[in-house]
Amino acid sequence: MEHKYSLDDFRQIIKRLRGESGCPWDKVQTHETLRKDMLEEAYEAVEAIDRKDMKNLKEELGDVLLQVVFHSSLAEDEGAFTFDDVVQSVCEKMIYRHPHVFGSGKADTPEEVLVNWEDLKKKEKHAETQTQMMADVPLALPALTRAAKVQKKAAAVGFDFAKTQEAWEKVKEEIAELEAEMEKMDGNIEEEFGDVLFAMVNVARFLQINPEFSLTKATKKFINRFEYIENSALTEGKQLSSMTLKEMDLLWDKAKEALAKER
């Protein structure tokens, strides 16, 4: 009969791996060395969700849990906090931020829940200004995601466009400024390019599109189309490196048509 492991079993496994007679690799890890692993495991879980692959999602969530338990084990050795402290903290947070469920608060729609959530978060963090709330959005987040969160916090206090078209006009304004800087080719190009991206994130927010996911899908689409033109070239006995841009563009157009029919 298959042994059924519990969360306590898992914690003991990590403790043993990091113990004196444990694994040489696990024993030398730190919060800093595991930083990239935390990010990668979270992204891999998201990818499993996008693929609707429940078997893989189960595995990836386990890897995310591994990071949580491992960091908690490190922190316990440092005397900072324990895994139980992590659980205690998140339980307190969920109860505090859901007074409409666990208290006498009121929130009848998802939108009202989000408004209350932000207000409670602001009090919890003792943030006196909305600027502080913006600055607290983690720098480690992907840039597009961070921009969207900052814009959302600005919108929460009314600093926002009234409609999508106004946000789009801002994009065109920023593109014009980028074009002007491109003609001069001075040091402001990076800044102006960033302004275009920031403005596009605003449009994404109005269209209720996640800019990070949108760009990920666009990149995937590019790879699929590129694969089509490369395979087409190989079928004709050609290498891409020996083809002209015009020839590749013709195959690219065919790729767009062929892949569009497969949707």
Side-chain angles (χ1 to χ4, degrees), residues 93-102 105-122 152 156:
K93 180 188 293 184
M94 289 300 99
I95 293 170
Y96 174 73
R97 292 191 187 177
H98 291 83
H100 53 288
V101 176
F102 299 104
K106 181 175 174 60
D108 297 323
T109 66
E111 291 74 22
E112 290 177 352
V113 171
L114 292 177
V115 170
N116 290 346
W117 180 280
E118 285 299 313
D119 287 342
L120 291 167
K121 188 175 180 180
K122 192 171 182 179
K152 188 176 179 180

Side-chain angles (χ1 to χ4, degrees), residues 34-218:
L34 292 173
R35 181 180 180 276
K36 65 178 180 61
D37 297 275
M38 176 70 85
L39 289 171
E40 288 173 4
E41 301 301 356
Y43 280 124
E44 288 174 10
V46 170
E47 186 175 349
I49 292 170
D50 290 342
R51 294 199 312 265
K52 295 180 172 58
D53 186 341
M54 292 298 103
K55 182 178 179 181
N56 185 232
L57 179 58
K58 177 184 70 173
E59 179 183 345
E60 298 303 340
L61 289 176
D63 290 341
V64 172
L65 178 61
L66 166 61
Q67 293 300 311
V68 175
V69 174
F70 206 117
H71 280 280
S72 298
S73 181
L74 287 169
E76 184 171 1
D77 286 351
E78 298 164 357
F81 58 82
T82 67
F83 179 79
D84 289 336
D85 293 331
V86 173
V87 174
Q88 178 72 21
S89 177
V90 74
C91 286
E92 290 175 351
K93 180 188 293 184
M94 289 300 99
I95 293 170
Y96 174 73
R97 292 191 187 177
H98 291 83
H100 53 288
V101 176
F102 299 104
S104 57
K106 181 175 174 60
D108 297 323
T109 66
E111 291 74 22
E112 290 177 352
V113 171
L114 292 177
V115 170
N116 290 346
W117 180 280
E118 285 299 313
D119 287 342
L120 291 167
K121 188 175 180 180
K122 192 171 182 179
K123 293 175 183 175
E124 184 181 301
K125 292 181 176 294
H126 305 292
E128 297 180 0
T129 67
Q130 198 68 5
T131 303
Q132 283 179 273
M133 292 296 290
M134 291 180 186
D136 282 343
V137 177
L139 285 167
L141 284 174
L144 295 177
T145 299
R146 187 167 191 266
K149 285 184 171 290
V150 168
Q151 290 173 4
K152 188 176 179 180
K153 292 186 183 301
V157 293
F159 190 74
D160 200 7
F161 295 108
K163 51 188 178 181
T164 308
Q165 187 57 37
E166 292 179 2
W168 181 243
E169 290 301 322
K170 184 63 176 176
V171 170
K172 292 191 283 187
E173 176 188 320
E174 297 296 353
I175 289 175
E177 292 180 9
L178 175 60
E179 289 176 337
E181 291 300 326
M182 288 171 64
E183 291 180 5
K184 294 187 290 184
M185 289 301 291
D186 64 13
N188 289 328
I189 291 179
E190 183 178 33
E191 179 181 339
E192 294 299 340
F193 187 83
D195 289 344
V196 172
L197 291 178
F198 193 83
M200 282 299 298
V201 170
N202 240 330
V203 173
R205 187 168 53 83
F206 272 90
L207 296 176
Q208 297 184 333
I209 294 171
N210 184 308
E212 205 72 45
F213 294 164
S214 181
L215 182 56
T216 296
K217 289 177 181 178

